[in-house]
Amino acid sequence: MKRIRVSLCMIVKNEERCIERCISSVKPIVNEIIVVDTGSTDRTVEIAESLGAKVYYYEWDKNFANARNYAMKKAKGDWIIPLDADEWFEDLEQAKKLLKYIHIFNDNKQFHAICVRIKSIDQKNPSVVTYATVMRAYKNHRGIKYERAIHELINLPHRNHAYNEGDFVTLMHDGYSEEKNFEKGKRNLELLLGQLEEGTYDHTIHYQIGMSYKQMKQPEKAYDSFMTLVKNADGTKKMLEIPGFAIACELASGLRKPDAEIDFIMERGLELYADAPNIHFMCGLVYHDRCEYERALYHFEHMFELQSLLGEDNQGIQLRNEENDKKGSCLWIGRIYQTVGYLDKAVEYFEKGIGIGEESEKTNYQARNTEHLIRIISRRDPKELITRLNDCFPQMDKKTLERILPIMRRNAPGQGFLYFWEKWYALTKENDINLLVALALLGEWEKAYEGYLSRYNQNPNDIYKIMISSLCLAAGDKLAHSDFIAKPENADYSKIVIQALTTYGNNKNVLDAVYKMPDAGAVFSAGNTLYDMCFFAEARDVLIKSTEFPGTNASKLASCNDKIGVCSFLTGDFDSAKTYFENAKKLGMKENNFKIFYKLMNGEKLEALRV
């Protein structure tokens, strides 16, 4: 096999936080490390040199393309891997996979670059993850160079990229702190506005200007920039136009722009990119937020079908976290079917969502789809829930059980939780909160109480205090001797009742306590908690109680009547449902919120309503 030399090229400034992580992750697969420093005042250069990098200095001229081209000239490799300092390979296998593709495409005359999937983790909230597809390896040919002073692009022959749709290389990225994000946005904006004045960019520059304003937390200016992009989009720049439409739509919703403006964004998006899953995702979210469920369902299902045809890449654009992939499609479709009472269809899609993807990649959606599945099935038949979850998770190991048990504890207190807790305890013998919940559900109130009390004595804090009080609430007379019994006049009474609801479900003692809660807001919150747990009959009664408090504003009453109407519909009481929907309408609720329920009560089928 021909020996191929690979160069890592980086341009950096004050990256001591992360440059070692980046270089170390890729060092085993490269033959040289080129670092171009544009003015660091920290230990960046020292760290790079200690890792074997050749460091060159470049006087910053406010042009990223020039700096990258300077680094490229210093590289002697046949291929170049251009990484930013805050990017890294999580393990050596991912780096080796990229090297494998470099060998595969080295003699290919058509493709000159390789795309990877960037997995970005929010520094402030690591559970927020976004994906994008970017070029991170290219042939070191004469004539290939970077263009554009800001948001630079590599100028490849025929603009062709090579990537594997089914087996992406994953590159990690952890972004910027809020302060650095602002600084970056301000710096970029200055460069972009200069380029705009010179007229050297096409209409997609407004995407980058909008992103800079967004980073600087100036949503109105960001919205204006994205709307300029939307109005001038021509269908030839999908990598920026498609996410530009989505961000314009999101900003319009946040800024409460008229529906007509949002409709214009959707119409333009569908006109130019009718086969783009992300545009249908955007439309689905808008219609879902408007409670126009037929239209939302149409777009989410169309999105799912397109993803099945196009593969998981979806043009490499990510919208709201991971929610525009196939697992997210299943979640949204399932939620709509669940909302309108098509529970078997909802279960079908939640199960699909659990089953899609590799184990390492589906944790977030596994949890969300699993949670909705559990809420529905646990109310019907705990045995069915056990069977379905065993089918969904054939390898019921410790890791899987650790993910399932907290969901079960919140949404399926009872036989289902006990079954999976026993499997977990047999594997671990660990004595944790799950054990105490299991003891309570088995009626061993004193043993559960002693366990909570022991933890509280070791670490006295409000969390354990609320847990003990919620246990006492559910136990009733069984723990009448406790000093932790909550009373309606206690400041934490509402918190304790909500905690008891989420842990012990529709326990009679807990439901009795709900009706003693001191204000409409607290009772409404309890009703919503029961609704989210699919206890619709109990939720309806509690929500009715929340409307009886004097002084509740019309908006809250409208929302409450609407939710009571949904609960009545889902429990088969159509006459009451119509009454409460009419009340909601008189109080100012949009007709969209309950229009579909009227159709369903009149015997129309949801499938026949799709446009």
Side-chain angles (χ1 to χ4, degrees), residues 173-191:
H173 171 249
D174 64 1
Y176 302 90
S177 65
E178 194 169 329
E179 183 182 352
K180 278 201 167 186
N181 238 346
F182 182 87
E183 291 172 5
K184 181 188 176 189
K186 188 177 179 181
R187 177 203 69 191
N188 289 354
L189 184 61
E190 181 185 344
L191 296 174

Side-chain angles (χ1 to χ4, degrees), residues 21 85 130 143 155 168 213 227 243 285 318 367 413 461 502 510 581 591 608:
R21 179 184 64 188
T130 60
N155 180 19
F168 268 103
Y213 280 126
M227 283 303 289
L285 288 179
Q318 198 65 24
N461 60 48
T502 58
V510 177
F581 286 142
E591 190 176 3

Side-chain angles (χ1 to χ4, degrees), residues 69-342:
N69 289 332
Y70 178 78
M72 193 190 309
K73 288 177 182 176
K74 299 298 181 183
K76 295 182 172 62
D78 303 298
W79 281 74
I80 291 174
I81 297 177
L83 296 185
D84 293 335
D86 56 1
E87 298 172 348
W88 77 101
F89 291 104
E90 194 167 27
D91 55 59
L92 184 56
E93 288 307 307
Q94 293 299 317
K96 286 181 176 179
K97 191 190 293 186
L98 179 58
L99 184 61
K100 180 185 79 173
Y101 288 139
I102 285 172
H103 280 86
I104 289 171
F105 289 104
N106 187 61
D107 294 325
N108 189 296
K109 304 298 183 186
Q110 181 182 3
F111 298 118
H112 301 272
I114 298 169
C115 290
V116 304
R117 181 174 64 171
I118 292 243
K119 181 179 180 180
S120 294
I121 301 169
D122 190 296
Q123 280 191 2
K124 228 175 180 182
N125 184 0
S127 65
V128 176
V129 177
T130 60
Y131 291 90
T133 303
V134 295
M135 186 278 299
R136 281 298 180 266
Y138 60 88
K139 294 174 182 176
N140 189 11
H141 286 179
R142 289 181 181 179
I144 291 181
K145 64 177 183 178
Y146 284 92
E147 299 173 341
R148 296 188 174 186
I150 180 74
H151 299 295
E152 63 281 10
L153 295 173
I154 193 87
N155 180 19
L156 293 170
H158 312 300
R159 299 284 182 185
N160 280 325
H161 285 180
Y163 61 92
N164 185 295
E165 292 185 3
D167 191 19
F168 268 103
V169 175
T170 299
L171 187 66
M172 306 297 293
H173 171 249
D174 64 1
Y176 302 90
S177 65
E178 194 169 329
E179 183 182 352
K180 278 201 167 186
N181 238 346
F182 182 87
E183 291 172 5
K184 181 188 176 189
K186 188 177 179 181
R187 177 203 69 191
N188 289 354
L189 184 61
E190 181 185 344
L191 296 174
L192 288 163
L193 292 176
Q195 295 289 314
L196 185 62
E197 278 187 24
E198 293 174 14
T200 55
Y201 276 33
D202 59 28
H203 63 279
T204 58
I205 192 173
H206 294 286
Y207 174 89
Q208 309 295 0
I209 292 172
M211 287 302 294
S212 296
Y213 280 126
K214 199 164 179 279
Q215 285 175 310
M216 297 168 67
K217 300 193 179 305
Q218 296 184 33
E220 281 285 358
K221 289 185 176 181
Y223 175 69
D224 290 342
S225 295
F226 282 112
M227 283 303 289
T228 302
L229 173 73
V230 167
K231 291 171 183 175
N232 290 281
D234 58 11
T236 64
K237 304 287 191 307
K238 70 178 183 179
M239 294 298 286
L240 294 180
E241 288 180 350
I242 292 176
F245 279 103
I247 297 170
C249 217
E250 190 174 312
L251 286 168
S253 297
L255 293 168
R256 299 186 179 281
K257 297 294 182 182
D259 283 354
E261 289 189 30
I262 299 174
D263 290 342
F264 172 76
I265 298 168
M266 291 193 292
E267 288 165 8
R268 285 284 289 153
L270 290 168
E271 176 189 344
L272 295 172
Y273 294 107
D275 291 333
N278 305 322
I279 294 297
H280 289 281
F281 179 70
M282 172 186 80
C283 296
L285 288 179
V286 171
Y287 288 124
H288 183 273
D289 290 345
R290 292 179 181 176
C291 298
E292 295 186 38
Y293 295 124
E294 304 107 306
R295 290 185 172 184
L297 185 63
Y298 167 80
H299 286 290
F300 287 133
E301 289 196 333
H302 199 55
M303 166 185 157
F304 183 84
E305 291 164 6
L306 286 169
Q307 288 163 327
S308 300
L309 292 171
L310 298 175
E312 292 284 343
D313 174 41
N314 305 334
Q315 294 91 39
I317 311 300
Q318 198 65 24
L319 303 184
R320 189 180 294 182
N321 305 330
E322 283 187 353
E323 294 183 349
N324 67 330
D325 61 14
K326 289 176 71 177
K327 299 178 285 294
S329 305
C330 292
L331 179 69
W332 283 97
I333 295 168
R335 283 174 62 178
I336 292 173
Y337 279 126
Q338 182 180 0
T339 299
V340 299
Y342 279 44

Side-chain angles (χ1 to χ4, degrees), residues 16 24 49 172 195 240 266 275 294 334 349 385 405 454:
E16 65 178 6
S24 297
E49 288 179 334
M172 306 297 293
Q195 295 289 314
L240 294 180
M266 291 193 292
D275 291 333
E294 304 107 306
Y349 277 97
L385 176 64
L405 278 173
S454 172

Side-chain angles (χ1 to χ4, degrees), residues 454-471:
S454 172
R455 280 170 167 73
Y456 177 76
N457 289 332
Q458 293 172 25
N459 182 20
N461 60 48
D462 288 343
I463 295 174
Y464 279 128
K465 188 176 179 181
I466 288 173
M467 285 182 174
I468 297 172
S469 295
S470 69
L471 174 74

